[in-house]
Amino acid sequence: MSAERLSLLIIGGYGTFGGRLARLLGEEPRIRLLIGGRSLEKADDFVADLRSPKGSAGRLGSNDLGAWLQAVAFDRNGDLREQLTRLRPNLVVDASGPFQSFTGDAYRVVQACIDLGIDYVDLADSTGFVAGIGGLDAAAKAKGTFVLSGLSSLPALSFAVLQAMAPQFSRIESVAAGIAPSSHVKIGLNVVRAIASYAGKPVAVLREGQPAEGRGLIDQMRVTIAPPGVAPLASRTFLLVDAPDLALLPQHIAGLQSTFTGVGTEPQALQRLLSLAARLVKLRLLPSLKPFSRVLQAASHRLAFGAHRGGMFVRAGGLDRDGRRLTADWSLIAEGDDGPFIPVIAVEALVRRLLEGQRPQSGARPAAGELRLADFEAAFQRFSISSGIRLDYQEEVQPLYRRVLGDAWQKLPPALAAIHGGGTRLASGRARIERGGGLIARLIAGLIGFPAAGEDVPVAVRFVAEGDREIWTRSFGGKTFRSWQAADKGGDQPLLAEVFGPFRVLLALVPEGQKLRLTVRGWRFCGIPLPLFLAPDGDTYEEERDGRFHFHVEIGGRLTGLVVRYSGWLVVE
């Protein structure tokens, strides 16, 4: 490496992920950044855009970019030795792909880098490509170079998460991971082609400790991505995808029984159609979905509905150090356009390590376990990204809200923690009650038993823990109504479920300073899911004021208008 600058060549440097990596590293003055691709014109245009003023400093472009930038033509199918010798990079980052399509001499770029003593990393998401990189280990060690494949969300970030969770376990028996991209993110054609290549086709997984065949985009699991203390993503189905983790996990975790890696896209209706098309491939009514890649990409771009948020999860199950059954859930949510930066954060973290003199060991290997979760979390600080871990001990009885909130329980003010401390307890205080005047609102209020309107009404709430649920009996003056709450099971966990008669409402618990907000994320009537846009809503929260617990509950809806609003304070007796 030059005494002044690290020379870095990004193959596919103006593409979906290569371009984002260039934006992250463009402000680093210790780097000579070569933006490479088959089209020199596109590379030139990208560099010009990267250098142009964006109205603010930072990773999205400014006048103050410190890296030495150059657009270069690079053809991975051309004379690699001549091109690499002329460009003289210290490190090559392959961000092109799709790696699933590489046939024949799939590692020719890697081999050329090793022969010339150039370090190499890639963003490969192909199981075969990443798992097979170890075949070049001896050659890389002989040249004193490092080769890391799969330095992306899967497996680099997912394995960093597993390393952070591993000390909680004596044995890990199951691992599942998934990515939920925002529907507003424009998915690149290469990514669509990669997914389409294995749709409906066998994907190697573990079941009951034995190698088994899953089916790409057909096998599924339902998950709610919900970092502690953050409003969750909508619960969604994740479809099985062929990711390097599926091959690497059995090599790293002895006794592993089951594996799954998936993608959960929005809108879910489009994903269901994609899964149906994958079944046509399984039935051999279609040879492959790959010829439809452009159509699938166009559909995903046109149907960009819903919140502009994306996420990721990693879930491990097994036994803790005391032999208790334990499930550890790590979740991440990225707001707006920050999500697509996550796959390149691992490379950025590695480059910054190199700049500080921290060099990976020589040799060729998958990037699983190469970075720590702390490396990623430090990079997350530059983005609107929230992440965290929840631990669920099956045999351990914890207060309900502590189970649902996970690490975010520690953020609760003392008055709120006291109310939700578990066990049987009684709290009393005063309240103000308002009632809606509409016919439907009055019928619903009467069905559930909500109290009549009133000022300075005496209120008492009795909390009774019964198994894994809490029964809340509220008395407003002489009127009493009851509901029960529990941590929702299955794909909607870790949401709080509250049941009023035939209605089941799913709530996200989100701490905000001295407040705990309760946000509706779904609802059921007699077990039948109902549209979220018709769900009861309103400004509902708890907070600590002057050392006392205060509540504000508002229930209404598009069809009903206001049903009931009650606010006041309680003190635990």
Side-chain angles (χ1 to χ4, degrees):
M1 185 176 77
S2 164
E4 295 183 356
R5 295 182 188 267
L6 171 69
S7 182
L8 176 66
L9 168 64
I10 305 178
I11 304 175
Y14 49 80
T16 301
F17 295 115
R20 286 184 170 90
L21 177 61
R23 293 184 185 279
L24 288 183
L25 296 174
E27 63 189 28
E28 176 53 66
R30 295 172 290 176
I31 291 178
R32 173 177 174 252
L33 197 56
L34 305 175
I35 307 300
R38 283 178 293 183
S39 171
L40 181 59
E41 181 181 359
K42 290 181 179 179
D44 270 325
D45 290 344
F46 178 83
V47 169
D49 178 70
L50 198 63
R51 286 175 172 152
S52 66
K54 299 295 190 296
S56 62
R59 59 182 164 83
L60 296 180
S62 73
N63 286 323
D64 302 322
L65 291 174
W68 188 89
L69 288 131
Q70 182 181 353
V72 299
F74 189 90
D75 183 359
R76 62 180 311 119
N77 297 316
D79 186 339
L80 296 176
R81 187 177 188 88
E82 184 278 327
Q83 293 177 89
L84 291 171
T85 301
R86 172 169 43 83
L87 296 174
R88 296 177 292 110
N90 304 115
L91 174 67
V92 169
V93 179
D94 194 344
S96 56
F99 291 84
Q100 287 86 350
S101 68
F102 293 167
T103 57
D105 192 4
Y107 298 108
R108 64 189 304 267
V109 174
V110 188
Q111 187 66 66
C113 289
I114 293 174
D115 291 344
L116 294 172
I118 299 169
D119 297 318
Y120 168 95
V121 301
D122 63 46
L123 303 178
D125 56 359
S126 164
T127 298
F129 189 93
V130 176
I133 201 73
L136 299 173
D137 185 55
K141 286 179 177 176
K143 285 288 188 175
T145 63
F146 65 80
V147 171
L148 300 176
S149 186
L151 205 64
S152 187
S153 303
L154 302 172
L157 176 51
S158 56
F159 269 75
V161 171
L162 287 171
Q163 281 185 337
M165 298 194 299
Q168 305 291 336
F169 290 90
S170 63
R171 183 171 76 223
I172 295 178
E173 297 173 342
S174 64
V175 174
I179 296 172
S182 166
S183 61
H184 296 268
V185 171
K186 304 301 183 185
I187 301 176
L189 183 59
N190 283 343
V191 175
V192 177
R193 283 173 174 160
I195 295 174
S197 68
Y198 53 75
K201 298 182 179 179
V203 174
V205 297
L206 278 183
R207 291 177 183 155
E208 298 181 354
Q210 299 298 318
E213 277 192 359
R215 287 286 173 169
L217 301 188
I218 296 177
D219 294 4
Q220 60 184 249
M221 69 182 294
R222 192 167 183 83
V223 176
T224 299
I225 294 180
V230 179
L233 297 183
S235 179
R236 66 189 66 195
T237 297
F238 285 76
L239 301 179
L240 178 67
V241 295
D242 187 15
D245 298 48
L246 297 175
L248 301 176
L249 283 166
Q251 302 172 17
H252 286 76
I253 303 177
L256 191 62
Q257 298 295 300
S258 69
T259 56
F260 178 91
T261 54
V263 62
T265 59
E266 290 284 350
Q268 287 271 281
L270 179 61
Q271 181 173 272
R272 285 191 288 271
L273 289 175
L274 183 61
S275 184
L276 179 62
R279 293 176 189 276
L280 298 179
V281 175
K282 178 185 177 182
L283 295 172
R284 299 184 180 179
L285 298 176
L286 284 176
S288 170
L289 294 187
K290 199 170 179 181
F292 304 97
S293 296
R294 290 191 181 276
V295 175
L296 295 173
Q297 183 196 30
S300 71
H301 289 183
R302 290 181 180 275
L303 299 175
F305 305 140
H308 193 5
R309 312 173 79 208
M312 178 177 171
F313 80 91
V314 178
R315 177 178 296 172
L319 300 179
D320 79 344
R321 298 294 177 182
D322 297 319
R324 299 174 297 177
R325 298 219 64 83
L326 169 63
T327 299
D329 265 302
W330 175 86
S331 294
L332 172 150
I333 288 180
E335 308 291 347
D337 292 323
D338 285 351
F341 282 94
I342 294 171
V344 301
I345 282 178
V347 178
E348 184 207 12
L350 178 75
V351 169
R352 297 197 184 280
R353 277 188 168 194
L354 287 172
L355 293 173
E356 300 303 322
Q358 301 178 48
R359 179 182 171 81
Q361 291 183 350
S362 297
R365 57 193 178 275
E370 198 67 32
L371 296 171
R372 301 167 301 162
L373 183 56
D375 296 319
F376 289 93
E377 289 175 337
F380 293 164
Q381 300 304 311
R382 304 172 65 190
F383 301 89
S384 295
I385 294 177
S386 303
S387 64
I389 296 174
R390 298 173 189 268
L391 301 178
D392 182 13
Y393 295 90
Q394 184 173 324
E395 290 84 6
E396 181 179 352
V397 178
Q398 288 185 323
L400 173 61
Y401 276 52
R402 178 176 290 194
R403 293 204 311 271
V404 174
L405 283 166
D407 292 345
W409 170 265
Q410 308 302 327
K411 299 178 182 179
L412 289 189
L416 274 63
I419 283 286
H420 299 297
T424 299
R425 56 212 184 276
L426 178 66
S428 60
R430 313 293 291 187
R432 178 178 184 270
I433 306 162
E434 300 173 68
R435 285 277 294 269
L439 176 61
I440 298 177
R442 293 199 306 272
L443 289 173
I444 292 175
L447 177 64
I448 295 175
F450 288 138
E455 299 285 343
D456 198 29
V457 177
V459 58
V461 184
R462 182 174 179 81
F463 307 86
V464 177
E466 187 179 88
D468 60 354
R469 68 179 186 173
E470 280 190 356
I471 300 173
W472 290 35
T473 304
R474 304 166 179 87
S475 297
F476 291 85
K479 183 70 172 179
T480 297
F481 73 98
R482 177 181 297 183
S483 69
W484 61 265
Q485 299 181 354
D488 204 80
K489 304 294 185 182
D492 288 321
Q493 63 180 339
L495 299 180
L496 178 75
E498 182 160 18
V499 177
F500 300 89
F503 294 98
R504 182 184 186 92
V505 182
L506 304 176
L507 301 163
L509 304 181
V510 184
E512 291 182 3
Q514 296 299 299
K515 291 183 179 181
L516 176 65
R517 291 201 174 275
L518 289 81
T519 305
V520 176
R521 304 301 294 182
W523 67 316
R524 314 273 192 273
F525 178 75
C526 295
I528 301 172
L530 299 175
L532 182 58
F533 76 93
L534 293 178
D537 59 7
D539 190 19
T540 298
Y541 59 87
E542 303 168 350
E543 67 176 329
E544 179 175 291
R545 267 190 272 145
D546 301 323
R548 180 185 284 175
F549 174 88
H550 284 254
F551 58 88
H552 181 94
V553 178
E554 189 172 283
I555 299 174
R558 293 174 182 264
L559 299 180
T560 64
L562 177 67
V563 175
V564 68
R565 180 188 296 118
Y566 53 90
S567 58
W569 55 269
L570 292 171
V571 174
V572 177
E573 296 183 2

